[in-house]
Amino acid sequence: MYAELREKQQIQQRLNAEVLDSEHYFQPLSICGRQTNVGTTQDLALLEKFNMENTCPGANSKKLLLLQGGLAHGRTGNNLIEFLHALQIARDMDYQLAITSNSWVFELLHKMWFNSIHDDDWAAKFEKAFCIKIFHPDESTKGWDRVPHGLNPNNSVIVSKYLFNYESELPLDQYIASQSRFIQMLFRHYNTAPEDMCSGINAIFGEERSNVRYSVLHNRHLEGAPGIRLMQRMSRGSGCHPTAALEMHPEYIKSILGPIGMLDHPIVLITDGQDPAVAQRLLEDPEIGPMLSVMPQSASWIGGDLTAAIMSDVFIGNPASSFSGFIAKARIAMGFGNNHLFRAKVSTGVGKPEWVTTCGDACIYDKNILGNMS
Protein backbone atom coordinates (compact mmCIF):
# COMPACT_ATOMS: atom_id res chain seq x y z
CA MET A 1 0.00 0.00 0.00
CA TYR A 2 2.72 2.47 0.97
CA ALA A 3 4.73 1.58 -2.14
CA GLU A 4 1.68 2.28 -4.33
CA LEU A 5 1.03 5.59 -2.58
CA ARG A 6 4.67 6.59 -2.95
CA GLU A 7 4.54 5.76 -6.68
CA LYS A 8 1.46 7.94 -7.12
CA GLN A 9 3.12 10.79 -5.22
CA GLN A 10 6.21 10.54 -7.43
CA ILE A 11 4.08 10.63 -10.57
CA GLN A 12 2.22 13.67 -9.26
CA GLN A 13 5.42 15.47 -8.23
CA ARG A 14 6.84 14.99 -11.74
CA LEU A 15 3.68 16.30 -13.39
CA ASN A 16 3.49 19.24 -10.98
CA ALA A 17 7.05 20.26 -11.73
CA GLU A 18 6.49 20.05 -15.47
CA VAL A 19 3.21 21.98 -15.54
CA LEU A 20 4.96 24.94 -13.94
CA ASP A 21 7.03 25.28 -17.09
CA SER A 22 4.25 27.27 -18.79
CA GLU A 23 6.41 29.54 -20.93
CA HIS A 24 5.76 27.21 -23.88
CA TYR A 25 2.04 28.04 -23.67
CA PHE A 26 2.56 31.61 -24.79
CA GLN A 27 4.81 31.03 -27.80
CA PRO A 28 3.45 31.93 -31.26
CA LEU A 29 1.90 29.02 -33.14
CA SER A 30 1.75 28.32 -36.87
CA ILE A 31 -0.06 25.35 -38.39
CA CYS A 32 0.65 24.03 -41.89
CA GLY A 33 2.59 27.17 -42.73
CA ARG A 34 -0.28 29.47 -41.70
CA GLN A 35 0.05 31.76 -38.70
CA THR A 36 -2.44 31.78 -35.84
CA ASN A 37 -3.02 34.55 -33.29
CA VAL A 38 -1.79 32.39 -30.42
CA GLY A 39 0.77 34.27 -28.33
CA THR A 40 -0.55 37.68 -29.40
CA THR A 41 -1.98 40.34 -27.09
CA GLN A 42 -5.48 39.23 -28.10
CA ASP A 43 -4.72 35.65 -27.11
CA LEU A 44 -3.16 36.60 -23.79
CA ALA A 45 -6.22 38.69 -22.93
CA LEU A 46 -8.42 35.63 -23.43
CA LEU A 47 -6.13 33.41 -21.41
CA GLU A 48 -6.10 35.74 -18.42
CA LYS A 49 -9.34 33.88 -17.68
CA PHE A 50 -7.47 30.57 -17.59
CA ASN A 51 -6.38 29.81 -14.04
CA MET A 52 -3.13 27.84 -14.36
CA GLU A 53 -2.63 26.54 -10.82
CA ASN A 54 0.68 25.34 -9.43
CA THR A 55 -0.43 21.74 -9.41
CA CYS A 56 -1.95 19.29 -11.85
CA PRO A 57 -5.48 18.09 -11.09
CA GLY A 58 -5.52 15.24 -8.60
CA ALA A 59 -2.58 16.47 -6.53
CA ASN A 60 -4.71 16.35 -3.40
CA SER A 61 -6.92 13.45 -4.37
CA LYS A 62 -6.82 9.70 -4.90
CA LYS A 63 -9.68 9.86 -7.36
CA LEU A 64 -8.83 8.44 -10.79
CA LEU A 65 -10.79 9.09 -13.98
CA LEU A 66 -9.47 6.34 -16.25
CA LEU A 67 -10.53 6.30 -19.90
CA GLN A 68 -10.22 2.81 -21.33
CA GLY A 69 -11.84 0.43 -23.78
CA GLY A 70 -12.08 0.59 -27.54
CA LEU A 71 -15.64 1.91 -27.88
CA ALA A 72 -17.03 5.38 -27.20
CA HIS A 73 -20.28 7.31 -27.53
CA GLY A 74 -20.80 8.81 -30.98
CA ARG A 75 -18.43 9.74 -33.78
CA THR A 76 -15.29 11.85 -34.01
CA GLY A 77 -16.91 15.19 -33.15
CA ASN A 78 -18.55 13.70 -30.07
CA ASN A 79 -15.34 11.93 -29.07
CA LEU A 80 -13.35 15.17 -29.23
CA ILE A 81 -15.94 16.80 -26.97
CA GLU A 82 -15.66 13.84 -24.60
CA PHE A 83 -11.88 14.22 -24.36
CA LEU A 84 -12.10 17.98 -23.77
CA HIS A 85 -14.81 17.41 -21.17
CA ALA A 86 -12.61 14.81 -19.45
CA LEU A 87 -9.83 17.38 -19.15
CA GLN A 88 -12.34 19.87 -17.76
CA ILE A 89 -13.81 17.40 -15.27
CA ALA A 90 -10.32 16.62 -13.98
CA ARG A 91 -9.73 20.32 -13.27
CA ASP A 92 -13.23 21.01 -11.95
CA MET A 93 -13.29 17.97 -9.65
CA ASP A 94 -9.57 17.62 -8.83
CA TYR A 95 -9.27 14.16 -10.41
CA GLN A 96 -6.21 12.46 -11.81
CA LEU A 97 -7.01 11.82 -15.47
CA ALA A 98 -5.55 8.73 -17.14
CA ILE A 99 -5.95 6.76 -20.35
CA THR A 100 -4.91 3.27 -21.33
CA SER A 101 -2.69 2.84 -24.35
CA ASN A 102 -5.34 0.71 -26.11
CA SER A 103 -8.29 3.03 -25.41
CA TRP A 104 -10.59 4.93 -27.76
CA VAL A 105 -8.91 8.17 -26.60
CA PHE A 106 -5.49 6.92 -27.61
CA GLU A 107 -6.84 5.86 -31.01
CA LEU A 108 -8.66 9.16 -31.51
CA LEU A 109 -5.79 11.47 -30.63
CA HIS A 110 -2.81 9.51 -31.88
CA LYS A 111 -3.94 9.76 -35.51
CA MET A 112 -3.95 13.55 -35.37
CA TRP A 113 -1.65 14.70 -32.58
CA PHE A 114 1.43 13.56 -30.64
CA ASN A 115 2.44 10.86 -33.12
CA SER A 116 5.05 12.19 -35.54
CA ILE A 117 7.46 9.53 -36.76
CA HIS A 118 10.20 11.99 -35.83
CA ASP A 119 9.02 12.30 -32.21
CA ASP A 120 10.22 9.49 -29.95
CA ASP A 121 9.20 11.44 -26.85
CA TRP A 122 5.52 11.86 -27.64
CA ALA A 123 4.21 10.02 -24.56
CA ALA A 124 6.12 12.23 -22.12
CA LYS A 125 4.99 15.35 -23.99
CA PHE A 126 1.38 14.17 -23.92
CA GLU A 127 1.47 13.48 -20.19
CA LYS A 128 3.11 16.84 -19.54
CA ALA A 129 0.77 18.85 -21.76
CA PHE A 130 -2.44 17.59 -20.18
CA CYS A 131 -1.42 16.26 -16.74
CA ILE A 132 -2.49 12.81 -17.91
CA LYS A 133 -1.08 9.46 -16.87
CA ILE A 134 -0.85 6.74 -19.51
CA PHE A 135 -1.66 3.28 -18.13
CA HIS A 136 -0.68 0.03 -19.78
CA PRO A 137 -3.74 -2.16 -20.44
CA ASP A 138 -2.84 -4.63 -17.67
CA GLU A 139 -1.61 -2.02 -15.18
CA SER A 140 -3.25 -2.15 -11.75
CA THR A 141 -5.37 0.72 -10.44
CA LYS A 142 -5.20 -0.61 -6.89
CA GLY A 143 -5.05 2.21 -4.38
CA TRP A 144 -7.00 4.61 -6.60
CA ASP A 145 -10.65 5.55 -6.11
CA ARG A 146 -12.18 5.05 -9.58
CA VAL A 147 -14.66 7.71 -10.67
CA PRO A 148 -17.36 8.49 -11.64
CA HIS A 149 -19.17 6.71 -8.84
CA GLY A 150 -22.49 5.08 -9.68
CA LEU A 151 -21.37 4.02 -13.17
CA ASN A 152 -19.51 0.95 -14.30
CA PRO A 153 -16.02 2.46 -14.78
CA ASN A 154 -15.04 -0.43 -17.07
CA ASN A 155 -17.84 0.27 -19.57
CA SER A 156 -16.19 2.68 -21.99
CA VAL A 157 -19.41 3.66 -23.79
CA ILE A 158 -21.19 4.54 -20.55
CA VAL A 159 -18.21 6.53 -19.26
CA SER A 160 -17.74 8.39 -22.56
CA LYS A 161 -21.45 9.26 -22.61
CA TYR A 162 -21.06 10.64 -19.09
CA LEU A 163 -18.17 12.78 -20.37
CA PHE A 164 -20.23 13.98 -23.34
CA ASN A 165 -23.10 15.04 -21.09
CA TYR A 166 -20.90 16.88 -18.59
CA GLU A 167 -21.58 20.61 -18.21
CA SER A 168 -18.99 22.63 -16.29
CA GLU A 169 -20.14 25.15 -13.71
CA LEU A 170 -17.33 27.56 -14.60
CA PRO A 171 -18.37 31.04 -15.75
CA LEU A 172 -18.55 31.13 -19.54
CA ASP A 173 -15.43 33.27 -20.07
CA GLN A 174 -13.33 31.00 -17.85
CA TYR A 175 -14.72 27.88 -19.53
CA ILE A 176 -13.86 29.22 -23.00
CA ALA A 177 -10.33 30.09 -21.86
CA SER A 178 -9.83 26.67 -20.29
CA GLN A 179 -11.04 24.74 -23.33
CA SER A 180 -9.06 27.02 -25.65
CA ARG A 181 -5.86 26.23 -23.80
CA PHE A 182 -6.48 22.48 -24.19
CA ILE A 183 -7.08 22.87 -27.94
CA GLN A 184 -3.98 25.02 -28.37
CA MET A 185 -1.92 22.33 -26.68
CA LEU A 186 -3.22 19.70 -29.09
CA PHE A 187 -2.22 21.78 -32.10
CA ARG A 188 1.26 22.45 -30.76
CA HIS A 189 1.81 18.76 -31.50
CA TYR A 190 -0.13 18.16 -34.74
CA ASN A 191 0.96 15.24 -36.91
CA THR A 192 2.56 15.44 -40.32
CA ALA A 193 3.33 11.71 -40.35
CA PRO A 194 2.31 8.98 -40.71
CA GLU A 195 -0.99 10.78 -41.41
CA ASP A 196 -0.67 14.43 -42.35
CA MET A 197 -2.96 17.02 -40.77
CA CYS A 198 -1.94 19.39 -43.57
CA SER A 199 -3.07 17.04 -46.36
CA GLY A 200 -6.22 19.00 -47.24
CA ILE A 201 -4.54 22.41 -47.31
CA ASN A 202 -1.62 21.01 -49.29
CA ALA A 203 -3.83 19.23 -51.84
CA ILE A 204 -5.83 22.33 -52.68
CA PHE A 205 -3.33 25.15 -52.30
CA GLY A 206 0.13 23.56 -52.51
CA GLU A 207 2.91 26.15 -52.28
CA GLU A 208 0.38 28.99 -51.94
CA ARG A 209 -0.95 27.62 -48.67
CA SER A 210 0.75 30.20 -46.42
CA ASN A 211 -0.73 33.34 -47.95
CA VAL A 212 -3.93 32.33 -49.74
CA ARG A 213 -7.20 33.71 -48.39
CA TYR A 214 -9.98 31.14 -48.44
CA SER A 215 -13.27 30.10 -46.88
CA VAL A 216 -14.43 26.64 -45.78
CA LEU A 217 -18.01 25.38 -45.80
CA HIS A 218 -18.76 22.33 -43.67
CA ASN A 219 -21.87 20.56 -44.89
CA ARG A 220 -23.11 17.93 -42.43
CA HIS A 221 -26.49 16.41 -43.30
CA LEU A 222 -26.83 14.55 -39.98
CA GLU A 223 -28.83 11.62 -41.36
CA GLY A 224 -31.82 13.68 -42.51
CA ALA A 225 -34.68 13.86 -40.01
CA PRO A 226 -32.48 13.59 -36.87
CA GLY A 227 -30.44 16.53 -38.17
CA ILE A 228 -33.55 18.62 -38.70
CA ARG A 229 -34.75 17.91 -35.16
CA LEU A 230 -31.36 18.86 -33.74
CA MET A 231 -31.26 22.07 -35.79
CA GLN A 232 -34.74 22.96 -34.54
CA ARG A 233 -33.42 22.67 -30.98
CA MET A 234 -30.51 24.95 -31.89
CA SER A 235 -32.96 27.38 -33.48
CA ARG A 236 -35.01 27.63 -30.29
CA GLY A 237 -31.93 28.42 -28.24
CA SER A 238 -30.07 30.76 -30.59
CA GLY A 239 -32.68 32.19 -32.95
CA CYS A 240 -30.89 30.74 -36.00
CA HIS A 241 -32.78 29.46 -39.05
CA PRO A 242 -33.91 25.84 -38.47
CA THR A 243 -32.59 24.43 -41.77
CA ALA A 244 -30.29 26.95 -43.51
CA ALA A 245 -27.04 25.55 -42.11
CA LEU A 246 -28.11 22.06 -43.22
CA GLU A 247 -29.11 23.05 -46.75
CA MET A 248 -26.46 25.75 -47.46
CA HIS A 249 -28.22 27.30 -50.43
CA PRO A 250 -26.11 29.72 -52.50
CA GLU A 251 -28.11 32.71 -51.25
CA TYR A 252 -27.19 31.80 -47.67
CA ILE A 253 -23.47 31.43 -48.45
CA LYS A 254 -23.36 34.66 -50.48
CA SER A 255 -25.03 36.59 -47.65
CA ILE A 256 -21.94 35.79 -45.57
CA LEU A 257 -19.10 35.93 -48.08
CA GLY A 258 -20.35 38.82 -50.20
CA PRO A 259 -20.25 41.64 -47.62
CA ILE A 260 -16.72 40.72 -46.51
CA GLY A 261 -15.30 40.44 -50.02
CA MET A 262 -14.62 36.69 -49.91
CA LEU A 263 -16.59 35.69 -53.02
CA ASP A 264 -13.47 36.57 -55.03
CA HIS A 265 -11.33 34.09 -53.09
CA PRO A 266 -11.24 30.27 -53.04
CA ILE A 267 -14.06 28.41 -51.30
CA VAL A 268 -13.55 24.85 -50.06
CA LEU A 269 -16.41 22.45 -49.32
CA ILE A 270 -15.94 19.61 -46.86
CA THR A 271 -18.94 17.32 -46.64
CA ASP A 272 -20.22 14.00 -45.35
CA GLY A 273 -21.61 13.35 -48.84
CA GLN A 274 -25.09 12.48 -47.57
CA ASP A 275 -26.73 15.30 -49.54
CA PRO A 276 -24.97 15.69 -52.92
CA ALA A 277 -27.52 18.33 -53.93
CA VAL A 278 -25.71 20.84 -51.72
CA ALA A 279 -22.47 20.60 -53.68
CA GLN A 280 -24.37 20.56 -56.98
CA ARG A 281 -26.27 23.77 -56.19
CA LEU A 282 -23.09 25.56 -55.14
CA LEU A 283 -21.12 24.41 -58.18
CA GLU A 284 -23.91 25.59 -60.50
CA ASP A 285 -24.10 29.04 -58.93
CA PRO A 286 -22.44 31.61 -61.26
CA GLU A 287 -20.66 33.41 -58.40
CA ILE A 288 -19.76 30.55 -56.06
CA GLY A 289 -19.16 27.80 -58.63
CA PRO A 290 -15.98 29.20 -60.24
CA MET A 291 -14.37 29.65 -56.82
CA LEU A 292 -15.51 26.36 -55.24
CA SER A 293 -13.36 23.28 -54.68
CA VAL A 294 -14.75 20.14 -53.09
CA MET A 295 -12.11 18.56 -50.87
CA PRO A 296 -10.60 15.79 -53.04
CA GLN A 297 -11.31 12.30 -51.78
CA SER A 298 -7.62 11.40 -51.96
CA ALA A 299 -6.80 14.11 -49.40
CA SER A 300 -10.00 14.01 -47.37
CA TRP A 301 -9.79 12.49 -43.92
CA ILE A 302 -10.89 13.73 -40.51
CA GLY A 303 -7.59 15.39 -39.57
CA GLY A 304 -7.01 17.01 -42.96
CA ASP A 305 -10.57 18.34 -43.19
CA LEU A 306 -10.42 19.60 -39.62
CA THR A 307 -7.19 21.53 -40.10
CA ALA A 308 -8.21 23.04 -43.44
CA ALA A 309 -11.36 24.42 -41.81
CA ILE A 310 -9.64 25.66 -38.66
CA MET A 311 -6.96 27.54 -40.60
CA SER A 312 -9.35 29.18 -43.08
CA ASP A 313 -10.10 32.91 -43.13
CA VAL A 314 -13.84 32.27 -42.95
CA PHE A 315 -15.69 29.24 -41.62
CA ILE A 316 -19.36 28.47 -42.31
CA GLY A 317 -20.63 25.46 -40.39
CA ASN A 318 -23.59 23.66 -38.89
CA PRO A 319 -24.21 24.30 -35.17
CA ALA A 320 -25.94 20.93 -34.83
CA SER A 321 -22.74 19.12 -35.85
CA SER A 322 -20.25 18.41 -33.09
CA PHE A 323 -17.53 18.35 -35.79
CA SER A 324 -18.45 21.89 -36.89
CA GLY A 325 -18.57 22.81 -33.23
CA PHE A 326 -15.04 21.60 -32.60
CA ILE A 327 -13.80 23.53 -35.65
CA ALA A 328 -15.43 26.72 -34.35
CA LYS A 329 -13.97 26.17 -30.87
CA ALA A 330 -10.52 25.56 -32.31
CA ARG A 331 -10.79 28.74 -34.37
CA ILE A 332 -11.61 30.69 -31.21
CA ALA A 333 -8.57 29.08 -29.56
CA MET A 334 -6.43 30.22 -32.50
CA GLY A 335 -7.77 33.78 -32.22
CA PHE A 336 -9.79 33.68 -35.46
CA GLY A 337 -13.09 35.45 -36.08
CA ASN A 338 -15.47 34.99 -39.01
CA ASN A 339 -17.13 31.86 -37.61
CA HIS A 340 -20.65 31.65 -39.04
CA LEU A 341 -22.95 29.03 -37.56
CA PHE A 342 -25.97 30.89 -36.20
CA ARG A 343 -27.81 32.86 -38.92
CA ALA A 344 -31.41 33.84 -39.59
CA LYS A 345 -33.31 35.86 -42.14
CA VAL A 346 -35.05 38.83 -40.54
CA SER A 347 -37.04 41.78 -41.69
CA THR A 348 -35.34 45.15 -41.27
CA GLY A 349 -38.48 47.08 -42.09
CA VAL A 350 -36.92 48.37 -45.28
CA GLY A 351 -36.66 46.29 -48.44
CA LYS A 352 -36.24 42.51 -48.45
CA PRO A 353 -35.47 40.48 -45.32
CA GLU A 354 -31.73 40.08 -44.69
CA TRP A 355 -29.55 37.32 -43.29
CA VAL A 356 -28.01 38.29 -39.94
CA THR A 357 -25.96 36.58 -37.24
CA THR A 358 -28.21 35.74 -34.30
CA CYS A 359 -25.58 34.45 -31.88
CA GLY A 360 -21.86 35.26 -31.67
CA ASP A 361 -18.74 33.12 -31.33
CA ALA A 362 -19.22 32.47 -27.61
CA CYS A 363 -22.52 30.69 -28.34
CA ILE A 364 -20.66 27.55 -29.41
CA TYR A 365 -19.64 27.20 -25.75
CA ASP A 366 -22.95 28.28 -24.20
CA LYS A 367 -24.62 25.34 -22.46
CA ASN A 368 -27.97 27.15 -22.58
CA ILE A 369 -27.81 26.86 -26.37
CA LEU A 370 -25.58 23.86 -27.13
CA GLY A 371 -26.28 21.85 -23.97
CA ASN A 372 -23.92 18.88 -23.68
CA MET A 373 -22.27 19.79 -27.02
CA SER A 374 -20.81 22.89 -25.38
Side-chain angles (χ1 to χ4, degrees), residues 286-315:
E287 292 179 272
I288 295 174
M291 307 307 297
L292 184 69
S293 297
V294 179
M295 184 65 74
Q297 190 171 357
S298 60
S300 180
W301 69 289
I302 290 167
D305 290 358
L306 197 69
T307 309
I310 291 168
M311 297 308 296
S312 64
D313 293 271
V314 181
F315 174 63

Side-chain angles (χ1 to χ4, degrees), residues 10-11 13 18 27 35 65 68 78 83 97 131-133 135 141 188 205 239 245 268 280 299 339 345 351 359 370:
Q10 289 171 347
I11 292 168
Q13 287 168 359
E18 290 173 337
Q27 296 301 311
Q35 195 62 45
L65 178 57
Q68 60 183 351
N78 286 11
F83 174 67
L97 181 60
C131 296
I132 287 178
K133 175 173 168 50
F135 275 72
T141 59
R188 287 195 181 278
F205 299 117
V268 179
Q280 191 63 37
N339 305 308
K345 203 170 190 179
C359 211
L370 270 292

Side-chain angles (χ1 to χ4, degrees), residues 313-354:
D313 293 271
V314 181
F315 174 63
I316 302 175
N318 180 347
S321 162
S322 54
F323 193 74
S324 268
F326 181 81
I327 291 168
K329 290 172 183 177
R331 288 177 55 79
I332 292 171
M334 301 307 159
F336 297 150
N338 275 318
N339 305 308
H340 301 276
L341 288 85
F342 303 96
R343 304 272 291 177
K345 203 170 190 179
V346 301
S347 175
T348 61
V350 181
K352 296 180 179 179
E354 297 180 358

Side-chain angles (χ1 to χ4, degrees), residues 185-202:
M185 289 305 298
L186 283 174
F187 278 93
R188 287 195 181 278
H189 302 277
Y190 70 89
N191 292 348
T192 56
E195 294 186 87
D196 189 356
M197 293 285 277
C198 304
S199 61
I201 294 176
N202 290 342

Side-chain angles (χ1 to χ4, degrees), residues 10 43 55 92 135 158-159 180-181 184 191-192 198 211 235 240 258 262 298 313 326-327 335 340 344:
Q10 289 171 347
D43 178 54
T55 59
D92 291 353
F135 275 72
I158 289 176
V159 172
S180 293
R181 176 56 69 212
Q184 287 178 4
N191 292 348
T192 56
C198 304
N211 300 312
S235 178
C240 71
M262 289 299 289
S298 60
D313 293 271
F326 181 81
I327 291 168
H340 301 276

Side-chain angles (χ1 to χ4, degrees), residues 147 165 174 185 298:
V147 290
N165 289 325
Q174 292 181 30
M185 289 305 298
S298 60

Side-chain angles (χ1 to χ4, degrees), residues 52-84:
M52 175 55 72
E53 300 179 358
N54 290 339
T55 59
C56 283
N60 303 307
S61 170
K62 296 180 181 179
K63 297 185 183 298
L64 179 71
L65 178 57
L66 177 62
L67 309 184
Q68 60 183 351
L71 299 176
H73 169 68
R75 298 180 182 177
T76 301
N78 286 11
N79 300 157
L80 289 168
I81 289 174
E82 288 151 16
F83 174 67
L84 292 174

